[in-house]
Amino acid sequence: MLLRLGSLLFALPALILLVLYGLEMSAVSDCTQLGGIYNFDTAECGTEAIAQTSYYMRHSGLVNGMMLLSVGGALAMSIGMLIKGMAQQAKS
């Protein structure tokens, strides 16, 4: 059980971040195809140039939280594998 939960916690945060980043890049692509300049701070398409910031700078709490969940999932998987391995040795 711990192994499966760890696997989910390991993979889902990365997938969520990829989807959110992809949605933002889709909006940027749509804006640039219309000839505009995407404002990352307001998430709107405009005409005036602004300084660009990275996804991490704008959403550092989300990214750090998701990576912390992923590390927790990796630890849960490791503990689950150790428990499963010890249980199999006890049967032998």
Side-chain angles (χ1 to χ4, degrees):
M1 180 66 180
L2 192 59
L3 189 59
R4 289 180 185 177
L5 178 65
S7 298
L8 285 174
L9 280 176
F10 181 72
L12 280 180
L15 292 174
I16 290 169
L17 284 175
L18 282 172
V19 167
L20 292 174
Y21 182 75
L23 289 173
E24 186 177 75
M25 287 300 108
S26 176
V28 171
S29 177
D30 291 345
C31 179
T32 54
Q33 286 179 358
L34 293 173
I37 298 172
Y38 191 78
N39 185 344
F40 289 99
D41 296 327
T42 62
E44 295 176 350
C45 191
T47 56
E48 67 181 59
I50 57 155
Q52 293 185 1
T53 56
S54 69
Y55 189 83
Y56 178 75
M57 288 178 67
R58 291 187 312 278
H59 306 287
S60 60
L62 174 68
V63 173
N64 287 336
M66 291 295 184
M67 291 300 104
L68 186 61
L69 275 175
S70 189
V71 167
L75 290 174
M77 279 194 309
S78 299
I79 292 169
M81 284 187 260
L82 287 172
I83 291 171
K84 188 174 183 179
M86 285 188 252
Q88 288 179 354
Q89 285 181 350
K91 289 179 183 178
S92 299

